[in-house]
Amino acid sequence: MSYKQWNDLKSAAVIGSGVMGAAIAAHLANAGIECHLFDIVPQTLTDQERLNGGSLEHPAVRNRLSMQAIERSKKTKPSPLYMEAFAKRIHPGNLEDDLKKLEKVDWIIEAVTERLDIKQQVFARIEPFIKAGTLISSNTSGISLNAIAEGRQDMFKQSFVGIHFFNPPRYMHLVEVIPTSYAKSEAVQRAVQYCERRLGKGVVLAKDTPNFIGNRIATHGIVTVLQEMERTGLSIEEVDAVTGPAMGRPKSATFRTLDLVGLDTFSHVVNNLADHAPEEERSLFVLPAWYHSLLERGAYGEKSGQGSYKKLGKGKIAALRTDSMNYEERASVQSPTLDAAKRAKGTKEKLKALLQGRDAYGQFAWNILKPSLLYSASQLGIIAEKIEDIDNAMKWGFNWQLGPFETWDAIGVRTSVEKMQQEGETIPSFVLQMLEAGHESFYKQEGSKRFYISNGEYRGIDSVPEHISLKQLKSEGKVIMNNAGASLIDLGDEVACLEFHSPNNAIGEDILSMIVRGAAEVENNYRGLVIANEGRHFCVGANLMLLLAEAQAEEWDEIDEIIRQFQQSMLKLKQLAKPVVAAPHQMTLGGGVEACLPADVILFSPETYFGLVETGVGLIPAGGGCKEAVLQQSQRFTHREDDLTPPMLRTFETIAMATASTSGHDTERIGYKRSQDRVLNDARRRIFEAKQQVLAMDQAGFRSRYDPLMRVAGREGRAAMSVAIHSMKEAGYISAHDALIASKLAYVLAGGDAPSGALVTEQCMLDLEREAFLSLCGEKKTQQRMEHMLRTGKPLRN
């Protein structure tokens, strides 16, 4: 059987244009794959089609379902597409007229209704049109893949695997690949490579058992919480206080998660397990009576307006009282145990603090964590071969900070097992064998190598060279220099990495100091510099709290010095005689953008939310952001006769409206992506790819193109910006303070009082930025905006 390499994947087909099928097609399009989206042919005309004189034979009618799905993808929020323009890569079709197109695709993904008979019927229909070498997949969250493949020919079965995308596919990192008993290993590996390398997903191998790995463990865990809540009488708010960040789980905890997923949807998942799990497990998947009462009411969660919680308006939320089935205003939950967990640093210490609590919340945490750990261990070899796959499924699919076995290691395996045995629990034999052999944990680290327990022995976890871990490099002593906010790390091959690690990666004096010191070190001893980190977000901007404190104390000289230091630090990166490559990810805002723009190349992760958003706190970019925005337009429009006003007006609007990209690709639409910049498919490769980019530039004989001069739009450009400001203020879109901020921004972007087309120096632009920034810091309404952002995380429009 001949299979294409992962990077030769050109086209795919998705069968079924429902919510999941359309979202999968959108993510294939995100990865640059041409995708056919098929659905059934409608049997009746809509009223609009009748008015338009349509017929059941017209292509637009026959492809109606898939065409509507593509249009929905453009409007859905959050968007399944990195850019709306990518929808052009999705081609509508139907299962009667277009099946011959399947002969030319590399990958077929079925995503129809979760019913075995319907899936079998679909595959029976399309099988004659599938060519040898095509990978065939069914996207299902729990139906047996072997059962789906029954009745198909050997060629089909050998190329057929299960693919379970977690919803929404663009944003959820996990994909479960489920081999059938017929599938050839090369088909399984092709599925893994397509998902990992082309789609940037984290893949686990699951066995063909009910609900596979993630939903099996998560469903058991949630039902355990509901049953324990029923037994102890804790409220919904109390349960969520325990089962959120205190346990290393998302803020949505248990009940907010259920409301988001849909109580009815979760009930279907539970019923599937109750129907298909081994007889001895059926009692583990029984929902309490009050849950069924909610379903009878149609209270399914967020989509129906009420479920575990109900919005009351004016920001107030009510929680269900399961005894009376009435809603009461949500109560605050406080306890020494929860306070201790909140204060603890890191998931491991939070868990310990929570489980050491002597109140009802500490006991509740133990009573739900214990069965979850035991159940996960009991499923090893049944739902997955490796503990690593079980742990990764829970981290990537459900945003747990630690998987079940990592959690067990964190709280201490031997001591917790002894406690479980004292409480009469049966411990899975492999856990006891591990302890008897003198092994104290499921994982261990030796140098750069990580191991996991398997059949009583530690086996090495295969490392992926392209997944560079800064944490691992630091543990190996690769730190060149560091301070509280940043480190310079040796990536090997004479390439260094500047890593931010301050709280929220906010830029303060320590990061700026490390930039200056690091630039000098790289200049003298390295081939180039990567700017990247492994924080939740790349950088949320400058240290706003410090800035507000200085402004309220009217320490204007201090603020002036802070901005000068910021500007000069960015210039060090800009002027470096070695290649600099930035690799931002997730939120990259304000000062984070200003730390990337001096780089010679920016490699955006797919999920990069990139923008100069300082106007949201009443300020303007002053760390070189305005200067770099002007420089980009000057470099794009190089002839002295070029009219800079239109492009600068677009730049002004982007910054004035605090617009950030909705993806790495979207940086092109809003004007931040330069010709040399690119977007990666797999965010986990960002540091590796940045290093390779540095090496390639150095090998090509890198020479800095630093130029301190730039052309500006001048007074003519400023006039156009002023007209836009006036129009928006008159129309009531912006406040008087917004207009003041925008006016100062316009003055800076235009180059001050320079004539149109004039050349100005870099230092002139930096001075204009700094002066405008300082004047805005003195405005009471700006200080109110800064304070509000720090307190609520949301912008204030005053």
Side-chain angles (χ1 to χ4, degrees):
M1 187 178 296
S2 172
Y3 284 94
K4 293 179 179 291
Q5 295 298 312
W6 69 268
N7 54 347
D8 286 336
L9 172 60
K10 297 291 191 301
S11 62
V14 176
I15 315 297
S17 67
V19 172
M20 199 64 186
I24 292 171
H27 198 57
L28 294 173
N30 286 338
I33 301 166
E34 296 294 324
C35 182
H36 298 280
L37 182 60
F38 295 153
D39 214 312
I40 60 174
V41 174
Q43 299 301 305
T44 59
L45 294 172
T46 65
D47 291 341
Q48 189 61 50
E49 286 167 343
R50 290 192 187 92
L51 287 173
N52 294 341
S55 74
L56 291 175
E57 301 307 313
H58 194 282
V61 174
R62 297 178 71 80
N63 292 338
R64 181 209 306 155
L65 296 179
S66 54
M67 291 173 66
Q68 288 177 338
I70 295 168
E71 289 304 308
R72 280 198 308 273
S73 294
K74 298 177 185 178
K75 300 172 183 175
T76 300
K77 301 296 180 186
S79 177
L81 294 159
Y82 289 148
M83 291 182 69
E84 185 178 316
F86 289 174
K88 293 178 182 177
R89 296 172 181 163
I90 310 174
H91 311 288
N94 66 74
L95 288 170
E96 293 183 16
D97 305 327
D98 302 301
L99 289 181
K100 283 191 70 65
K101 294 178 180 177
L102 295 177
E103 297 174 354
K104 297 182 179 180
V105 303
D106 305 309
W107 189 11
I108 296 170
I109 303 174
E110 168 272 310
V112 301
T113 303
E114 281 284 270
R115 276 179 45 185
L116 176 60
D117 57 336
I118 294 178
K119 290 180 180 290
Q120 289 177 326
Q121 290 167 19
V122 166
F123 281 123
R125 174 179 286 190
I126 70 174
E127 185 177 21
F129 299 92
I130 302 174
K131 72 178 187 298
T134 301
L135 180 65
I136 312 162
S137 307
S138 174
N139 181 72
T140 173
S141 60
I143 297 177
S144 168
L145 278 306
N146 283 292
I148 292 172
E150 284 181 7
R152 305 279 64 79
Q153 297 177 5
D154 287 346
M155 186 192 78
F156 179 103
K157 290 180 177 180
Q158 291 167 2
S159 302
F160 178 67
V161 298
I163 300 278
H164 179 206
F165 285 92
F166 273 59
N167 193 29
R170 169 185 165 181
Y171 299 96
M172 296 303 293
H173 189 57
L174 177 64
V175 171
E176 293 175 322
V177 170
I178 308 98
T180 66
S181 57
Y182 314 104
K184 286 193 172 183
S185 60
E186 55 201 282
V188 176
Q189 287 307 308
R190 191 63 55 217
V192 171
Q193 289 183 13
Y194 282 177
C195 292
E196 284 186 344
R197 296 297 303 277
R198 198 63 191 271
L199 301 182
K201 297 301 179 185
V203 175
V204 298
L205 289 178
K207 288 179 173 287
D208 190 14
T209 55
N211 289 55
F212 312 128
I213 302 174
N215 282 340
R216 182 78 167 262
I217 300 298
T219 301
H220 170 268
I222 292 175
V223 175
T224 298
V225 168
L226 299 181
Q227 292 176 347
E228 182 67 13
M229 172 186 170
E230 184 92 338
R231 190 185 69 80
T232 60
L234 261 62
S235 69
I236 280 175
E237 301 99 309
E238 289 174 313
V239 170
D240 273 357
V242 174
T243 60
M247 291 190 74
R249 309 289 169 80
K251 290 182 179 179
S252 54
T254 298
F255 288 103
R256 177 67 178 137
T257 297
L258 284 173
D259 280 354
L260 289 169
V261 169
L263 275 73
D264 54 335
T265 301
F266 182 69
S267 176
H268 292 315
V269 174
V270 173
N271 291 338
N272 184 60
L273 265 174
D275 292 341
H276 296 100
E279 186 69 35
E280 63 272 16
E281 290 187 21
R282 302 286 170 89
S283 63
L284 301 177
F285 301 104
V286 177
L287 293 167
W290 63 262
Y291 193 102
H292 292 290
S293 296
L294 277 180
L295 297 180
E296 290 168 6
R297 285 187 189 180
Y300 300 143
E302 189 163 281
K303 59 188 173 184
S304 64
Q306 60 183 20
S308 312
Y309 294 103
K310 178 181 178 180
K311 292 181 180 179
L312 299 176
K314 295 184 178 179
K316 293 185 178 180
I317 297 175
L320 181 73
R321 299 290 172 248
T322 57
D323 51 356
S324 67
M325 296 304 291
N326 295 322
Y327 289 94
E328 296 180 7
E329 190 169 338
R330 184 171 56 179
S332 176
V333 180
Q334 302 291 333
S335 89
T337 295
L338 294 175
D339 289 343
K342 187 176 182 179
R343 289 193 304 269
K345 301 295 184 183
T347 302
K348 181 177 180 178
E349 296 306 316
K350 287 181 183 296
L351 272 170
K352 287 183 176 180
L354 184 63
L355 296 175
Q356 288 169 1
R358 297 182 179 275
D359 58 17
Y361 304 126
Q363 188 60 48
F364 185 86
W366 171 250
N367 288 346
I368 60 174
L369 186 62
K370 175 179 66 174
S372 180
L373 299 179
L374 291 171
Y375 185 74
S376 298
S378 73
Q379 296 304 303
L380 185 64
I382 298 174
I383 63 176
E385 287 295 335
K386 299 178 181 179
I387 62 171
E388 183 189 15
D389 281 335
I390 295 176
D391 279 346
N392 285 338
M394 304 317 297
K395 291 188 292 183
W396 294 341
F398 296 89
N399 294 317
W400 290 15
Q401 293 297 310
L402 300 173
F405 296 98
E406 291 172 326
T407 297
W408 214 335
D409 279 352
I411 66 173
V413 181
R414 188 175 295 277
T415 54
S416 60
V417 164
E418 290 172 355
K419 183 176 179 180
M420 292 173 186
Q421 289 174 318
Q422 291 169 6
E423 294 174 353
E425 302 292 348
T426 300
I427 312 300
S429 59
F430 92 91
V431 179
L432 294 176
Q433 291 168 3
M434 180 185 84
L435 293 172
E436 288 168 4
H439 303 313
E440 298 293 323
S441 61
F442 295 102
Y443 296 95
K444 71 172 183 176
Q445 189 85 31
E446 291 183 358
S448 62
K449 191 72 175 174
R450 194 172 187 228
F451 299 82
Y452 71 97
I453 202 74
S454 177
N455 296 322
E457 297 179 354
Y458 284 111
R459 298 180 184 273
I461 296 175
D462 294 334
S463 60
V464 181
E466 294 87 355
H467 295 173
I468 292 176
S469 167
L470 298 180
K471 181 180 179 182
Q472 181 62 39
L473 289 174
K474 287 192 287 188
S475 72
E476 296 172 16
K478 301 296 185 181
V479 176
I480 303 164
M481 59 180 68
N482 70 322
N483 61 26
S487 296
L488 192 68
I489 302 166
D490 189 344
L491 297 180
D493 299 314
E494 300 177 71
V495 178
C497 178
L498 177 67
E499 177 203 28
F500 303 162
H501 45 69
S502 65
N504 293 316
N505 285 346
I507 297 178
E509 191 279 331
D510 43 10
I511 289 179
L512 298 177
S513 172
M514 186 55 59
I515 289 174
V516 174
R517 292 173 59 203
E521 177 70 18
V522 170
E523 187 87 62
N524 293 326
N525 299 308
Y526 289 83
R527 297 167 68 181
L529 177 67
V530 169
I531 305 173
N533 63 67
E534 295 171 330
R536 182 182 176 190
H537 301 291
F538 177 79
C539 177
V540 298
N543 188 330
L544 193 61
M545 186 177 296
L546 171 64
L547 192 62
L548 176 61
E550 298 287 8
Q552 289 177 332
E554 299 185 0
E555 296 285 355
W556 311 124
D557 289 342
E558 288 293 327
I559 296 175
D560 183 71
E561 182 56 34
I562 290 170
I563 301 307
R564 284 180 187 274
Q565 186 182 6
F566 201 124
Q567 292 177 342
Q568 293 306 308
S569 299
M570 298 307 126
L571 279 180
K572 290 291 184 183
L573 295 174
K574 185 81 175 177
Q575 297 169 359
L576 198 64
K578 305 291 180 69
V580 178
V581 178
H585 67 284
Q586 293 292 319
M587 290 177 67
T588 305
L589 304 175
V593 172
E594 291 175 314
C596 291
L597 292 179
D600 300 293
V601 174
I602 303 174
L603 300 183
F604 296 100
S605 293
E607 301 297 342
T608 306
Y609 315 121
F610 194 88
L612 295 166
V613 296
E614 285 85 350
T615 59
V617 290
L619 298 166
I620 69 161
C626 292
K627 178 262 296 183
E628 286 294 321
V630 171
L631 180 62
Q632 282 190 32
Q633 299 300 356
S634 176
Q635 291 174 340
R636 286 171 179 161
F637 300 91
T638 57
H639 197 276
R640 63 181 181 180
E641 299 301 324
D642 289 338
D643 185 1
L644 282 170
T645 296
M648 281 313 305
L649 188 56
R650 289 192 294 272
T651 296
F652 164 74
E653 290 171 350
T654 297
I655 300 175
M657 300 303 292
T659 303
S661 70
T662 57
S663 70
H665 292 276
D666 192 50
T667 55
E668 182 174 2
R669 178 186 64 86
I670 62 175
Y672 287 114
K673 185 171 178 285
R674 306 164 303 186
S675 60
Q676 70 267 34
D677 301 333
R678 57 191 175 95
V679 185
L680 306 173
N681 277 343
D682 185 355
R684 292 177 298 174
R685 295 168 58 92
R686 64 183 183 274
I687 299 173
F688 171 82
E689 293 288 355
K691 176 184 172 182
Q692 298 309 116
Q693 181 72 51
V694 166
L695 292 173
M697 294 166 72
D698 177 69
Q699 185 69 27
F702 174 80
R703 292 293 181 270
S704 175
R705 295 183 296 170
Y706 173 68
D707 185 350
L709 295 177
M710 64 200 76
R711 293 177 65 241
V712 295
R715 288 186 286 268
E716 183 179 314
R718 183 184 172 196
M721 296 178 215
S722 297
V723 169
I725 295 167
H726 178 76
S727 298
M728 294 188 72
K729 185 170 181 287
E730 287 299 305
Y733 291 123
I734 61 175
S735 68
H737 192 55
D738 289 323
L740 173 66
I741 300 163
S743 297
K744 291 184 178 293
L745 175 65
Y747 184 77
V748 174
L749 292 177
D753 289 321
S756 300
L759 285 173
V760 300
T761 65
E762 187 171 57
Q763 190 57 53
C764 172
M765 292 299 301
L766 292 174
D767 290 343
L768 289 172
E769 281 186 359
R770 194 176 66 259
E771 290 162 8
F773 188 94
L774 275 167
S775 68
L776 286 169
C777 282
E779 295 286 339
K780 189 66 176 177
K781 289 187 176 181
T782 285
Q783 294 176 20
Q784 290 171 350
R785 291 190 179 195
M786 294 162 70
E787 190 172 8
H788 189 269
M789 176 62 75
L790 287 168
R791 188 175 68 254
T792 68
K794 298 177 181 179
L796 171 67
R797 293 298 178 196
N798 55 352

